[in-house]
Amino acid sequence: MSEAALDEISALSAIYCAQGECEVLSHSDNGITAAIQTSLQGVKDSEIHLRLLFELPVTYPSCLPNISVSSKELTRTQCSILKDKLLEQAKQHILEPMIHNLILWLQQNLKYLIKETETSVLEENRPLTDEGTWTVLLHLDHMRAKNKYVKTVEKWATDLKLCGRLMFMGKIILILLQGEKSRIREYLVLQKTCKVDVDSSGRKCKEKMLSVLSEARLPSEHKRFHSFEVQEYSSVGELKKEFEDVGLGTVFTEFVQSLF
């Protein structure tokens, strides 16, 4: 260890001289590890107890120390952010003993740093988007391997926790899905990339004739499907009523009626 580093540890022991405040945990050819226990003033005059661990390599202070921060009053994420802030500050003191300066800086800025960490934690825990429930209406041109195709669609909808209907009305095939937008996106990827049908030669093939007729966020006041079911309708009026019963009469008028 450099003489400057050894002198710094000696000075720290004199400054933080109460029992348990400063402790040299290891001293070897690889360097010194020291722990500082200190209490600093936090937000609204609260007392924050910090344990600061400094690992000083043999080349310190020509290189940065390794730092870890722990506290019973702060979350693990907050401690990690404080550690990163200390390391940023340490870069300004490279080539000189810095531990005491870092602790003084922390003492002067802890209130503001805690407020910053609280904001970061809130941002980290906040959902990326408030997607709500979305409704998507799909139109399929045909199903050659109907039984297999229907079972596949039912499985995807169930696995992705999507509700709605697979609708057959004469030659018209519709898939109405309701659920989280991200899950509906997953469904569409499966629908377009998996071999769900067979071609005219009986070979497995991907769905190439899928069209999205409508996609919109479902207003909170609308009724919703509570499960995914396969339904066959004997008349246009019966199909229209299915849409109207869940408040999607306008969707039927704008996107479905023209298919007949």
Side-chain angles (χ1 to χ4, degrees):
M1 290 299 297
S2 68
E3 186 175 345
L6 295 173
D7 288 343
E8 182 178 19
I9 293 298
S10 178
L12 289 171
S13 298
I15 295 169
Y16 301 98
C17 56
Q19 185 175 1
E21 271 194 316
C22 180
E23 183 180 3
V24 176
L25 301 179
S26 67
H27 185 185
S28 68
D29 293 339
N30 295 321
I32 296 176
T33 300
I36 304 292
Q37 302 266 14
T38 185
S39 297
L40 303 178
Q41 188 176 0
V43 180
K44 295 181 180 179
D45 296 329
S46 61
E47 190 174 27
I48 305 295
H49 299 86
L50 293 175
R51 176 178 170 83
L52 306 171
L53 199 66
F54 296 92
E55 296 179 3
L56 311 181
V58 290
T59 53
Y60 173 86
S62 298
C63 66
L64 295 177
N66 293 318
I67 302 173
S68 65
V69 179
S70 58
S71 172
K72 292 182 179 179
E73 289 80 26
L74 301 177
T75 67
R76 185 174 299 179
T77 299
Q78 287 177 306
C79 290
S80 177
I81 294 173
L82 287 182
K83 179 199 75 172
D84 292 341
K85 295 290 185 181
L86 281 171
L87 286 172
E88 288 178 16
Q89 187 66 20
K91 293 176 183 178
Q92 301 180 27
H93 298 280
I94 198 75
L95 299 179
E96 64 184 59
M98 66 182 75
I99 295 176
H100 186 50
N101 286 333
L102 293 178
I103 296 173
L104 290 178
W105 178 83
L106 192 58
Q107 183 178 3
Q108 294 166 2
N109 295 277
L110 186 62
K111 285 184 181 180
Y112 313 105
L113 292 172
I114 289 177
K115 288 181 179 179
E116 284 185 34
T117 62
E118 287 174 346
T119 301
S120 298
V121 171
L122 286 174
E123 291 294 332
E124 181 181 276
N125 294 328
R126 182 177 296 147
L128 294 178
T129 57
D130 179 18
E131 293 183 333
T133 300
W134 281 69
T135 294
V136 171
L137 180 63
L138 310 176
H139 177 227
L140 298 178
D141 184 74
H142 61 268
M143 283 185 182
R144 287 195 174 94
K146 182 176 178 180
N147 290 337
K148 177 181 178 295
Y149 206 135
V150 168
K151 288 181 180 178
T152 301
V153 169
E154 286 183 298
K155 183 179 186 305
W156 288 343
T158 300
D159 290 347
L160 293 170
K161 296 180 172 57
L162 298 174
C163 299
R165 296 287 186 269
L166 171 53
M167 303 169 164
F168 294 93
M169 170 63 222
K171 294 183 178 181
I172 302 299
I173 306 171
L174 301 170
I175 302 176
L176 184 62
L177 298 171
Q178 290 182 334
E180 294 179 14
K181 188 175 183 179
S182 59
R183 292 180 183 271
I184 289 175
R185 291 296 183 200
E186 288 183 54
Y187 177 92
L188 290 174
V189 170
L190 291 170
Q191 183 81 63
K192 293 178 180 179
T193 59
C194 295
K195 293 182 177 180
V196 290
D197 206 0
V198 295
D199 60 19
S200 57
S201 302
R203 293 174 297 189
K204 292 181 180 180
C205 64
K206 298 177 183 179
E207 179 56 68
K208 296 180 180 179
M209 303 187 71
L210 169 74
S211 57
V212 179
L213 299 181
S214 172
E215 180 178 4
R217 183 170 178 166
L218 187 68
S220 58
E221 66 272 12
H222 276 212
K223 294 180 182 178
R224 308 177 189 197
F225 293 111
H226 299 292
S227 60
F228 186 84
E229 299 175 9
V230 180
Q231 296 283 358
E232 298 209 17
Y233 304 88
S234 58
S235 68
V236 175
E238 187 180 355
L239 179 61
K240 182 179 180 181
K241 186 176 184 302
E242 182 80 273
F243 279 81
E244 291 176 340
D245 285 346
V246 288
L248 296 174
T250 302
V251 173
F252 179 88
T253 302
E254 292 183 5
F255 301 102
V256 180
Q257 199 160 283
S258 61
L259 299 175
F260 296 99

